[in-house]
Amino acid sequence: MVQQTADKVKIIRERMLVAQNHQKSYAYMKRWPVKFQVGDQVLLKVSPWKGLIRFGKHGKLSPCFIGPFKVLHKIRKQAYKLELQPIMEDVHTTFRVCYLRKYLGEERNINPLSELRIDGNKRLIEKQEEIFHR
């Protein structure tokens, strides 16, 4: 009786290991290493700036990235140093790869730096342009 239970436990463990390996291989297929070369153009996610208020639009309409910025050099595996604009002089120039995205040309969800207005507290100043309908 004890031997039968031990055999069943062994079979269950083997099946669980097969299922775990299958899930692990599927998860790794969906993940790819993010690598940038020196001189590449990247977009920067707005959220890493502490104290910077999110844009007024929420959800899908929110512009998430600003840029493009040039990669100056790689710091270890997960961090890159960027060439930032003078308007962002107080922001640290090193960013983790999770805050970067490769710039592929024309993208709709980025804000050009020329349109950003930031006050002394590193908060975004928003200006309402027009009200269409009341």
Side-chain angles (χ1 to χ4, degrees), residues 64-122:
C64 301
F65 295 93
I66 58 172
F69 300 104
K70 183 179 177 183
V71 174
L72 294 180
H73 69 273
K74 180 179 181 176
I75 301 172
R76 297 194 183 126
K77 292 182 180 180
Q78 296 291 316
Y80 290 89
K81 186 169 185 171
L82 302 181
E83 179 181 4
L84 300 179
Q85 304 295 334
I87 191 172
M88 301 166 56
E89 63 188 17
D90 294 337
V91 178
H92 200 277
T93 58
T94 303
F95 295 93
R96 193 169 160 81
V97 293
C98 63
Y99 297 118
L100 303 176
R101 178 183 288 176
K102 191 162 192 129
Y103 179 66
L104 300 174
E106 187 67 32
E107 295 199 25
R108 293 183 296 205
N109 63 343
I110 62 170
N111 269 343
L113 285 174
S114 59
E115 295 179 10
L116 291 181
R117 291 177 303 282
I118 300 174
D119 66 4
N121 295 331
K122 294 298 174 205

Side-chain angles (χ1 to χ4, degrees), residues 2-111:
V2 174
Q3 185 62 31
Q4 290 177 345
T5 306
D7 291 340
K8 287 182 182 180
V9 168
K10 185 177 179 183
I11 291 171
I12 291 171
R13 285 186 178 166
E14 289 173 359
R15 288 182 181 174
M16 286 180 62
L17 185 63
V18 169
Q20 287 173 351
N21 288 337
H22 179 70
Q23 289 175 345
K24 189 176 182 179
S25 67
Y26 182 75
Y28 284 150
M29 283 187 344
K30 298 294 181 183
R31 188 180 303 163
W32 64 89
V34 179
K35 294 181 182 176
F36 302 109
Q37 302 296 324
V38 174
D40 282 352
Q41 297 287 322
V42 295
L43 299 175
L44 177 62
K45 197 178 234 186
V46 175
S47 62
W49 295 7
K50 293 183 179 177
L52 185 67
I53 295 175
R54 297 282 290 176
F55 296 94
K57 299 176 184 175
H58 297 288
K60 293 181 182 179
L61 298 177
S62 176
C64 301
F65 295 93
I66 58 172
F69 300 104
K70 183 179 177 183
V71 174
L72 294 180
H73 69 273
K74 180 179 181 176
I75 301 172
R76 297 194 183 126
K77 292 182 180 180
Q78 296 291 316
Y80 290 89
K81 186 169 185 171
L82 302 181
E83 179 181 4
L84 300 179
Q85 304 295 334
I87 191 172
M88 301 166 56
E89 63 188 17
D90 294 337
V91 178
H92 200 277
T93 58
T94 303
F95 295 93
R96 193 169 160 81
V97 293
C98 63
Y99 297 118
L100 303 176
R101 178 183 288 176
K102 191 162 192 129
Y103 179 66
L104 300 174
E106 187 67 32
E107 295 199 25
R108 293 183 296 205
N109 63 343
I110 62 170
N111 269 343

